[in-house]
Amino acid sequence: MYDTIIIGAGPAGVTAAIYADRAGLKTLVLEKMFVGGQMVNTYEVENYPGFKMISGPDLSNTFKEHMLNFENIELKTETVQDLQLEGELKKVITKKNTYETKTIIFATGAAPKKLGIKGEEEFSGMGVSYCATCDGAMFRGKEVMIVGGGYTAVEDAIFLSRLCSKVHLVHRRDEFRAGKKIVDNLKKIENIEIHYDSVAEEIHGEERKVNAVSIKNLKTEELKKVDTSCIFIAIGQLPSNALAEGKIEMTEDKYIKTDAHMQTNIAGVFAAGDGRDNVMKQIITAAAEGAIAGQAASSYIANM
């Protein structure tokens, strides 16, 4: 019997475990792959307090070491297959075991949608990025590209225009999905070049660095190679919430809904991090939500 079981060991899950342990809860963290989540695939992190610059894998290791320094936290590499959430005692079912717990914290995160083009996997973290606010500063003064047509892509293009010498915005349609006001602001910025009706076809590079992207115009079928130091892919995210479907209230996009205490619509079940319905998806915000969820689980148990 555990006081809380945390599903996922990204920054939200790790921080939730630390705060749960500090509250005296017997805690189990279940992670199907490795501690760190999307951090592991991030080449460099320069916006997490306490580290001027650190690689994603190194920061993940730091999180893991910190978490396992607490005696009441168990970390197991297991894939959760099913959940029973009704009643005071919940069950978490993996291929190997069935665990009972008083509370559950979802920290399953989300994964960025990928283009699925040649060079994307090869140069991931080395000029292929899914987070302009995370990695944009590393390309200060350089020419970059962003792919997408929604609010995130447009906002990222405006953000990058303040840092980079030029921004190529590649959008597969001739109109943006983002609102008129922000699009009007986008079009006024001189160092942003918009490539309408176009898609990225291939990412090129050498010596572990991106140096160009081939883009294709869908109407004319013209193919051209654009010099760039980085391609930022902003075509959306996919929350990793399959376990919660049909069990917990979600948005249309399959993000878990919670209140300010990370409590879902089911008593004793909480969610934190990128899989939760929130505005900003960063390491620091995931960690903050994990802290709230860990403390909320403790309060819930105290009032049972």
Side-chain angles (χ1 to χ4, degrees), residues 15-160:
T15 313
I18 290 171
Y19 273 75
D21 181 278
R22 283 164 53 88
L25 304 188
K26 184 180 180 183
T27 302
L28 173 63
V29 179
L30 296 173
E31 170 56 56
K32 64 181 179 180
M33 295 182 69
F34 35 70
V35 174
Q38 293 186 64
M39 285 193 296
V40 175
N41 297 319
T42 303
Y43 184 60
E44 289 181 332
V45 177
E46 63 173 12
N47 60 349
Y48 193 81
F51 301 94
K52 292 181 180 179
M53 182 74 75
I54 186 171
S55 74
D58 285 346
L59 185 57
S60 298
N61 286 334
T62 300
F63 270 57
K64 181 178 181 179
E65 290 172 4
H66 191 168
M67 178 178 69
L68 295 181
N69 199 42
F70 290 85
E71 294 182 356
N72 289 327
I73 299 174
E74 291 181 55
L75 172 65
K76 294 186 178 182
T77 305
E78 294 186 37
T79 300
V80 179
Q81 295 183 326
D82 199 8
L83 301 165
Q84 294 178 11
L85 304 180
E86 302 303 324
E88 285 193 353
L89 295 182
K90 291 97 171 53
K91 290 184 179 181
V92 178
I93 302 163
T94 72
K95 188 175 182 180
K96 301 176 182 178
N97 298 290
T98 296
Y99 301 101
E100 287 192 332
T101 181
K102 299 173 185 174
T103 62
I104 292 174
I105 299 174
F106 276 90
T108 46
K113 291 181 181 177
K114 297 185 178 182
L115 293 173
I117 62 175
K118 187 176 180 180
E120 184 175 8
E121 294 295 333
E122 180 184 354
F123 294 104
S124 180
M126 294 172 286
V128 174
S129 173
Y130 301 90
C131 181
T133 54
C134 305
D135 301 331
M138 291 189 292
F139 299 92
R140 190 182 299 272
K142 297 181 179 180
E143 200 163 336
V144 300
M145 178 181 289
I146 186 158
V147 178
Y151 274 98
T152 298
V154 172
E155 289 171 349
D156 285 353
I158 293 171
F159 167 75
L160 291 168

Side-chain angles (χ1 to χ4, degrees), residues 219-237:
K219 290 184 175 179
T220 66
E221 295 193 351
E222 177 191 2
L223 189 67
K224 61 182 178 181
K225 199 172 182 179
V226 178
D227 291 338
T228 181
S229 297
C230 182
I231 175 171
F232 293 94
I233 300 168
I235 57 174
Q237 283 196 326

